[in-house]
Amino acid sequence: MSRDKNRVIIFDTTLRDGEQSPGCSMTLNEKLRVAEALEELGVDVIEAGFAIASNGDFQAVSQISALLKETTVCSLARASTKDIDRAWEALRGAKRPRIHTFISTSPLHMEHKLNMSPEKVLEKIAESVSYARNLCDDVEWSCEDGTRTEEDYLYKSIETAIKAGATTINVPDTVGYTTPVEYTEMMRKIIENVPNSDKAIFSTHCHNDLGLAVANSIAAVEGGARQIECTVNGIGERAGNAALEEIAMAFRTRHDMLPYTTGIVTENITKTSHLVSSVTGLNVQHNKAIVGANAFAHESGIHQDGMLKNAETYEIMTPESVGLGKSTLVMGKHSGRHAFSEKLKELGYELGNNEFLSAFQQFKDLADAKKVVYDEDIIAIVDDGMRDNDGMQITSWKFVCDHGVPNSATFEIVADGSVKEVHSEGNGPVDAAFLALSSLIEGEPDLELYQVHAVTKGTDAQAEVTVRLSDDGRTVNGHAAHTDTLVASAKAYLNAINKLLVKREKGKPEEMAV
Ligand code: KIV
Ligand code: ZN
């Protein structure tokens, strides 16, 4: 069967490049949820991790391989047999496995990072790709720092990789340096000048250092690439990767200029975006295209007037097309299970039985505590449930915050079935809470960010708290919501500590350098 020549493969690397970005680590259960959501979103390939990087990554790749029904599952591997063997071991259970191996090809990287001659790098490409191809039929090869690689050497290295059996060739803009016109031309010339280019699919992987990642990815497609590597919400190393949702909506909205298709079910974009920001603790900026809180908001009088007359005056795509339905059910303390379940459906969530019961209980508690329960409250409840897999959880708390007595915080913590109590005094209840909870791990992580925001209007609104901790080169974001700001703060801090423990299990960043 011949491929539709304008069908673009969406390769999602939220769980690998996205997870590598500061603060974005996820637990195994969170990764499994994200993988399922990505499959529902319709991505073609999921890069589930870097199997050799840690046991956590290995487990994530192997469990996602066992879980997914349709989507190709991929693991990253450096150009070494050890890395490739580990990737293959993790991918064995996948219905459609892919090994993604890479090596740098730019003069800068070959000399300063790899300390290898260009000839040696060519040898490594041939060896690693053919080794991977002997294990797996689907092999992707990436020339790291491809956009700063010398033209002739780039052609030679790609030809070598295809000859050794690579089926996809990815030319990453690793440092976010290229521009759209340059990248279109680069892709076009690669396909024209590499003698065996017809035997592979070409791919783009753009970082957003100059804010050009999406534009560059689309430009590469115009030059002949038919795979785009991207992440949900554009998370990724430094300024991030190309945002999946922006690419999918650009193709859908401007099909007249960009006649390409993807398998993305765009109506699932909003809920997938919420899930990713919830599990990573990385909030989406309000004015972010497609998924920002203001992306479909109209504030000025002139715009509102136009919208009321005809939505097309200021809206180039409908909120429904990205899964932002108009709210129809108003929720309050008299709403029962049926209404709650309908509301979850309206918001795009499908919860398992236990998750539903726990979310419903939280909704009832919340409805008792505040007059009106908004959609944002329910999203915060569901998001909070996603963090239930944290190894350590707060089960009860006591804060002392009185005039003239030392402020303190005491928590009962459950971890691995056992219960323990931690307590501290501090300079105010938040300081006391953080000091008490930091006694749960060795060392003293630095508090880099403590941010509180109200989920909705009203003094009875839930507080949504983000805490960023850094420790020995690792950064994590913790996130929690509660009507009591102190409880939300403590839970967010503990969420960050849980993530730090997961990250500590991984090698240090410099140990993984290629
Ligand atoms: O940015 C990059 O070059 C990468 C490669 C490993 C594909 O992430
Ligand atoms: Zn990257």
Side-chain angles (χ1 to χ4, degrees):
M1 215 169 60
S2 69
R3 272 190 95 245
D4 169 358
K5 71 179 187 9
N6 282 343
R7 170 69 157 82
V8 175
I9 296 166
I10 296 293
F11 174 116
D12 180 278
T13 183
T14 306
L15 295 172
R16 200 278 298 167
D17 213 323
E19 213 235 358
Q20 264 172 241
S21 62
C24 276
S25 61
M26 301 175 218
T27 63
L28 177 60
N29 278 313
E30 288 168 345
K31 288 182 185 177
L32 293 172
R33 272 178 194 269
V34 171
E36 266 184 318
L38 290 172
E39 182 159 70
E40 269 178 46
L41 182 63
V43 311
D44 302 287
V45 185
I46 292 178
E47 188 161 54
F50 194 168
I52 203 162
S54 67
N55 267 338
D57 265 42
F58 180 85
Q59 284 304 329
V61 178
S62 84
Q63 295 201 25
I64 290 170
S65 295
L67 179 75
L68 297 187
K69 300 178 193 75
E70 288 293 326
T71 321
T72 298
V73 182
C74 167
S75 172
L76 189 63
R78 289 167 296 190
S80 85
T81 52
K82 239 170 122 188
D83 271 46
I84 295 169
D85 282 338
R86 193 73 175 143
W88 182 238
E89 208 183 323
L91 287 166
R92 266 175 194 286
K95 302 212 174 41
R96 297 171 207 265
R98 172 181 293 188
I99 297 175
H100 177 191
T101 182
F102 73 102
I103 193 164
S104 294
T105 50
S106 67
L108 211 66
H109 278 222
M110 289 192 290
E111 186 185 338
H112 298 286
K113 191 176 108 161
L114 299 177
N115 199 12
M116 272 183 212
S117 68
E119 294 71 32
K120 183 77 199 158
V121 169
L122 285 179
E123 263 173 48
K124 281 263 179 199
I125 297 169
E127 267 168 36
S128 56
V129 173
S130 60
Y131 189 80
R133 186 58 204 267
N134 278 332
L135 300 170
C136 181
D137 284 344
D138 187 348
V139 173
E140 172 168 335
W141 178 74
S142 288
C143 39
E144 193 185 5
D145 207 16
T147 53
R148 292 193 298 171
T149 297
E150 284 170 352
E151 213 171 279
D152 288 340
Y153 187 72
L154 185 63
Y155 302 155
K156 187 78 209 145
S157 59
I158 292 173
E159 184 186 349
T160 306
I162 297 176
K163 204 162 152 202
T167 44
T168 300
I169 299 292
N170 183 37
V171 185
D173 186 28
T174 304
V175 290
Y177 182 71
T178 196
T179 65
V181 172
E182 180 184 66
Y183 204 34
T184 304
E185 200 48 14
M186 188 182 295
M187 268 305 164
R188 200 189 55 69
K189 283 173 77 182
I190 289 172
I191 293 170
E192 194 178 289
N193 288 298
V194 171
N196 48 6
S197 66
D198 59 318
K199 300 204 167 49
I201 290 176
F202 284 81
S203 168
T204 119
H205 175 111
C206 295
H207 281 270
N208 205 29
D209 300 67
L210 293 173
L212 292 171
V214 169
N216 285 336
S217 304
I218 292 173
V221 169
E222 298 201 277
R226 286 296 176 268
Q227 173 175 287
I228 297 182
E229 302 196 357
C230 48
T231 59
V232 175
N233 298 339
I235 64 172
E237 288 273 12
R238 304 181 309 281
N241 288 60
L244 181 153
E245 61 280 2
E246 295 178 21
I247 290 159
M249 288 315 288
F251 288 162
R252 179 170 166 172
T253 309
R254 292 309 310 272
H255 201 65
D256 55 331
M257 291 300 293
L258 304 167
Y260 310 106
T261 55
T262 68
I264 297 299
V265 182
T266 62
E267 289 75 13
N268 285 352
I269 283 177
T270 300
K271 75 170 180 184
T272 316
S273 161
H274 278 147
L275 174 66
V276 169
S277 79
S278 162
V279 299
T280 57
L282 211 66
N283 292 332
V284 170
Q285 81 201 43
H286 281 206
N287 62 337
K288 157 100 177 57
I290 317 296
V291 291
N294 293 349
F296 291 90
H298 303 274
E299 180 77 26
S300 90
I302 297 176
H303 287 205
Q304 286 178 345
D305 181 57
M307 285 292 295
L308 289 171
K309 289 175 177 145
N310 180 341
E312 280 180 31
T313 49
Y314 288 101
E315 240 169 41
I316 57 167
M317 52 203 155
T318 65
E320 290 78 11
S321 65
V322 299
L324 252 185
K326 286 203 177 40
S327 192
T328 50
L329 279 166
V330 179
M331 303 298 288
K333 68 186 202 184
H334 300 297
S335 311
R337 271 165 209 254
H338 185 217
F340 186 64
S341 140
E342 287 304 305
K343 172 56 83 183
L344 289 178
K345 266 193 220 144
E346 194 182 276
L347 295 173
Y349 292 110
E350 233 175 86
L351 303 188
N353 209 20
N354 289 344
E355 293 161 311
F356 175 82
L357 290 176
S358 141
F360 183 62
Q361 189 51 53
Q362 282 187 63
F363 158 70
K364 285 307 245 186
D365 294 344
L366 189 64
D368 276 339
K370 69 195 292 266
K371 285 192 208 84
V372 187
V373 179
Y374 297 95
D375 287 358
E376 291 84 347
D377 285 317
I378 293 176
I379 292 169
I381 287 176
V382 177
D383 284 355
D384 223 34
M386 315 262 177
R387 289 184 284 273
D388 270 349
N389 297 306
D390 277 354
M392 294 186 282
Q393 299 206 27
I394 296 173
T395 44
S396 79
W397 55 84
K398 181 174 174 193
F399 295 96
V400 174
C401 174
D402 270 353
H403 182 72
V405 296
N407 287 185
S408 68
T410 311
F411 301 99
E412 187 184 82
I413 306 288
V414 174
D416 297 327
S418 65
V419 182
K420 75 165 160 186
E421 193 177 279
V422 289
H423 167 87
S424 179
E425 291 185 354
N427 191 6
V430 174
D431 185 44
F434 290 2
L435 284 171
L437 295 168
S438 66
S439 70
L440 291 163
I441 57 163
E442 278 171 32
E444 282 176 26
D446 288 329
L447 177 66
E448 292 203 336
L449 175 87
Y450 168 55
Q451 187 176 284
V452 183
H453 109 266
V455 172
T456 61
K457 59 188 179 181
T459 49
D460 59 355
Q462 290 193 84
E464 197 162 48
V465 176
T466 304
V467 165
R468 183 174 304 149
L469 297 180
S470 78
D471 159 70
D472 209 9
R474 307 172 185 92
T475 313
V476 291
N477 288 319
H479 215 54
H482 199 276
T483 44
D484 183 327
T485 308
L486 291 177
V487 178
S489 304
K491 288 191 166 198
Y493 191 91
L494 189 58
N495 181 233
I497 294 234
N498 277 302
K499 290 189 165 177
L500 207 50
L501 288 174
V502 173
K503 247 195 165 165
R504 275 187 184 173
E505 198 224 316
K506 288 192 176 196
K508 278 199 192 167
E510 64 270 24
E511 282 161 14
M512 273 312 296
V514 185

